[in-house]
PDB file of all heavy atoms in Angstrom:
ATOM      1  N   GLY U 110     -36.395  57.294  25.674  1.00  0.00           N
ATOM      2  CA  GLY U 110     -36.721  56.948  27.049  1.00  0.00           C
ATOM      3  C   GLY U 110     -35.534  56.319  27.799  1.00  0.00           C
ATOM      4  O   GLY U 110     -35.791  55.862  28.969  1.00  0.00           O
ATOM      5  N   TRP U 111     -34.349  56.291  27.275  1.00  0.00           N
ATOM      6  CA  TRP U 111     -33.237  55.732  27.986  1.00  0.00           C
ATOM      7  C   TRP U 111     -32.643  56.838  28.882  1.00  0.00           C
ATOM      8  O   TRP U 111     -32.504  57.960  28.444  1.00  0.00           O
ATOM      9  CB  TRP U 111     -32.162  55.200  27.054  1.00  0.00           C
ATOM     10  CG  TRP U 111     -32.617  54.135  26.151  1.00  0.00           C
ATOM     11  CD1 TRP U 111     -32.757  54.194  24.785  1.00  0.00           C
ATOM     12  CD2 TRP U 111     -33.043  52.826  26.498  1.00  0.00           C
ATOM     13  NE1 TRP U 111     -33.219  53.037  24.280  1.00  0.00           N
ATOM     14  CE2 TRP U 111     -33.414  52.150  25.319  1.00  0.00           C
ATOM     15  CE3 TRP U 111     -33.132  52.127  27.772  1.00  0.00           C
ATOM     16  CZ2 TRP U 111     -33.865  50.821  25.284  1.00  0.00           C
ATOM     17  CZ3 TRP U 111     -33.589  50.824  27.728  1.00  0.00           C
ATOM     18  CH2 TRP U 111     -33.937  50.170  26.505  1.00  0.00           C
ATOM     19  N   ILE U 112     -32.362  56.502  30.088  1.00  0.00           N
ATOM     20  CA  ILE U 112     -31.806  57.471  31.033  1.00  0.00           C
ATOM     21  C   ILE U 112     -30.314  57.434  30.944  1.00  0.00           C
ATOM     22  O   ILE U 112     -29.693  56.373  31.217  1.00  0.00           O
ATOM     23  CB  ILE U 112     -32.286  57.152  32.496  1.00  0.00           C
ATOM     24  CG1 ILE U 112     -33.804  57.267  32.539  1.00  0.00           C
ATOM     25  CG2 ILE U 112     -31.636  58.077  33.496  1.00  0.00           C
ATOM     26  CD1 ILE U 112     -34.389  56.742  33.793  1.00  0.00           C
ATOM     27  N   PRO U 113     -29.695  58.570  30.585  1.00  0.00           N
ATOM     28  CA  PRO U 113     -28.218  58.614  30.486  1.00  0.00           C
ATOM     29  C   PRO U 113     -27.574  58.409  31.879  1.00  0.00           C
ATOM     30  O   PRO U 113     -28.031  58.943  32.876  1.00  0.00           O
ATOM     31  CB  PRO U 113     -27.878  60.002  29.986  1.00  0.00           C
ATOM     32  CG  PRO U 113     -29.212  60.534  29.447  1.00  0.00           C
ATOM     33  CD  PRO U 113     -30.242  59.845  30.177  1.00  0.00           C
ATOM     34  N   GLY U 114     -26.480  57.598  31.914  1.00  0.00           N
ATOM     35  CA  GLY U 114     -25.748  57.399  33.123  1.00  0.00           C
ATOM     36  C   GLY U 114     -24.555  58.356  33.199  1.00  0.00           C
ATOM     37  O   GLY U 114     -24.372  59.214  32.309  1.00  0.00           O
ATOM     38  N   ILE U 115     -23.761  58.187  34.229  1.00  0.00           N
ATOM     39  CA  ILE U 115     -22.624  59.068  34.430  1.00  0.00           C
ATOM     40  C   ILE U 115     -21.647  58.992  33.286  1.00  0.00           C
ATOM     41  O   ILE U 115     -21.045  60.009  32.920  1.00  0.00           O
ATOM     42  CB  ILE U 115     -21.922  58.721  35.807  1.00  0.00           C
ATOM     43  CG1 ILE U 115     -20.844  59.746  36.139  1.00  0.00           C
ATOM     44  CG2 ILE U 115     -21.344  57.331  35.756  1.00  0.00           C
ATOM     45  CD1 ILE U 115     -21.365  60.984  36.785  1.00  0.00           C
ATOM     46  N   SER U 116     -21.496  57.836  32.651  1.00  0.00           N
ATOM     47  CA  SER U 116     -20.555  57.708  31.531  1.00  0.00           C
ATOM     48  C   SER U 116     -20.957  58.611  30.338  1.00  0.00           C
ATOM     49  O   SER U 116     -20.085  59.174  29.693  1.00  0.00           O
ATOM     50  CB  SER U 116     -20.527  56.249  31.018  1.00  0.00           C
ATOM     51  OG  SER U 116     -20.094  55.373  32.063  1.00  0.00           O
ATOM     52  N   VAL U 117     -22.238  58.709  30.099  1.00  0.00           N
ATOM     53  CA  VAL U 117     -22.684  59.541  28.946  1.00  0.00           C
ATOM     54  C   VAL U 117     -22.366  61.019  29.291  1.00  0.00           C
ATOM     55  O   VAL U 117     -21.816  61.713  28.450  1.00  0.00           O
ATOM     56  CB  VAL U 117     -24.190  59.367  28.711  1.00  0.00           C
ATOM     57  CG1 VAL U 117     -24.709  60.425  27.731  1.00  0.00           C
ATOM     58  CG2 VAL U 117     -24.497  57.950  28.219  1.00  0.00           C
ATOM     59  N   TYR U 118     -22.690  61.416  30.530  1.00  0.00           N
ATOM     60  CA  TYR U 118     -22.357  62.810  30.872  1.00  0.00           C
ATOM     61  C   TYR U 118     -20.860  63.108  30.846  1.00  0.00           C
ATOM     62  O   TYR U 118     -20.414  64.168  30.401  1.00  0.00           O
ATOM     63  CB  TYR U 118     -22.989  63.140  32.256  1.00  0.00           C
ATOM     64  CG  TYR U 118     -24.522  63.253  32.234  1.00  0.00           C
ATOM     65  CD1 TYR U 118     -25.302  62.292  32.815  1.00  0.00           C
ATOM     66  CD2 TYR U 118     -25.123  64.252  31.510  1.00  0.00           C
ATOM     67  CE1 TYR U 118     -26.676  62.349  32.828  1.00  0.00           C
ATOM     68  CE2 TYR U 118     -26.508  64.327  31.457  1.00  0.00           C
ATOM     69  CZ  TYR U 118     -27.288  63.379  32.097  1.00  0.00           C
ATOM     70  OH  TYR U 118     -28.609  63.429  32.025  1.00  0.00           O
ATOM     71  N   ASN U 119     -20.087  62.121  31.283  1.00  0.00           N
ATOM     72  CA  ASN U 119     -18.630  62.316  31.259  1.00  0.00           C
ATOM     73  C   ASN U 119     -18.127  62.467  29.808  1.00  0.00           C
ATOM     74  O   ASN U 119     -17.256  63.297  29.548  1.00  0.00           O
ATOM     75  CB  ASN U 119     -17.855  61.125  31.962  1.00  0.00           C
ATOM     76  CG  ASN U 119     -18.047  61.125  33.458  1.00  0.00           C
ATOM     77  OD1 ASN U 119     -18.508  62.127  34.111  1.00  0.00           O
ATOM     78  ND2 ASN U 119     -17.748  60.005  34.062  1.00  0.00           N
ATOM     79  N   SER U 120     -18.684  61.687  28.962  1.00  0.00           N
ATOM     80  CA  SER U 120     -18.295  61.780  27.536  1.00  0.00           C
ATOM     81  C   SER U 120     -18.705  63.151  26.945  1.00  0.00           C
ATOM     82  O   SER U 120     -17.888  63.764  26.195  1.00  0.00           O
ATOM     83  CB  SER U 120     -18.995  60.639  26.723  1.00  0.00           C
ATOM     84  OG  SER U 120     -18.499  59.405  27.128  1.00  0.00           O
ATOM     85  N   LEU U 121     -19.854  63.597  27.283  1.00  0.00           N
ATOM     86  CA  LEU U 121     -20.319  64.910  26.765  1.00  0.00           C
ATOM     87  C   LEU U 121     -19.480  66.036  27.312  1.00  0.00           C
ATOM     88  O   LEU U 121     -19.114  66.936  26.613  1.00  0.00           O
ATOM     89  CB  LEU U 121     -21.811  65.131  27.092  1.00  0.00           C
ATOM     90  CG  LEU U 121     -22.783  64.192  26.391  1.00  0.00           C
ATOM     91  CD1 LEU U 121     -24.203  64.452  26.866  1.00  0.00           C
ATOM     92  CD2 LEU U 121     -22.688  64.339  24.874  1.00  0.00           C
ATOM     93  N   ILE U 122     -19.168  65.973  28.589  1.00  0.00           N
ATOM     94  CA  ILE U 122     -18.313  67.004  29.214  1.00  0.00           C
ATOM     95  C   ILE U 122     -16.968  66.966  28.539  1.00  0.00           C
ATOM     96  O   ILE U 122     -16.389  68.050  28.209  1.00  0.00           O
ATOM     97  CB  ILE U 122     -18.174  66.728  30.729  1.00  0.00           C
ATOM     98  CG1 ILE U 122     -19.520  67.070  31.411  1.00  0.00           C
ATOM     99  CG2 ILE U 122     -17.024  67.530  31.346  1.00  0.00           C
ATOM    100  CD1 ILE U 122     -19.616  66.609  32.870  1.00  0.00           C
ATOM    101  N   TYR U 123     -16.409  65.839  28.277  1.00  0.00           N
ATOM    102  CA  TYR U 123     -15.138  65.711  27.622  1.00  0.00           C
ATOM    103  C   TYR U 123     -15.150  66.362  26.228  1.00  0.00           C
ATOM    104  O   TYR U 123     -14.327  67.178  25.928  1.00  0.00           O
ATOM    105  CB  TYR U 123     -14.693  64.235  27.498  1.00  0.00           C
ATOM    106  CG  TYR U 123     -13.401  64.047  26.798  1.00  0.00           C
ATOM    107  CD1 TYR U 123     -12.182  64.272  27.379  1.00  0.00           C
ATOM    108  CD2 TYR U 123     -13.371  63.685  25.439  1.00  0.00           C
ATOM    109  CE1 TYR U 123     -10.973  64.131  26.745  1.00  0.00           C
ATOM    110  CE2 TYR U 123     -12.162  63.554  24.756  1.00  0.00           C
ATOM    111  CZ  TYR U 123     -10.967  63.739  25.436  1.00  0.00           C
ATOM    112  OH  TYR U 123      -9.779  63.632  24.748  1.00  0.00           O
ATOM    113  N   VAL U 124     -16.106  65.963  25.379  1.00  0.00           N
ATOM    114  CA  VAL U 124     -16.094  66.465  24.005  1.00  0.00           C
ATOM    115  C   VAL U 124     -16.430  67.963  23.972  1.00  0.00           C
ATOM    116  O   VAL U 124     -15.840  68.676  23.199  1.00  0.00           O
ATOM    117  CB  VAL U 124     -17.048  65.619  23.076  1.00  0.00           C
ATOM    118  CG1 VAL U 124     -18.493  65.882  23.366  1.00  0.00           C
ATOM    119  CG2 VAL U 124     -16.712  65.913  21.598  1.00  0.00           C
TER     120      VAL U 124
END
Side-chain angles (χ1 to χ4, degrees):
W111 300 113
I112 299 169
I115 188 82
S116 299
V117 170
Y118 289 111
N119 289 345
S120 295
L121 294 176
I122 288 169
Y123 177 79
V124 72

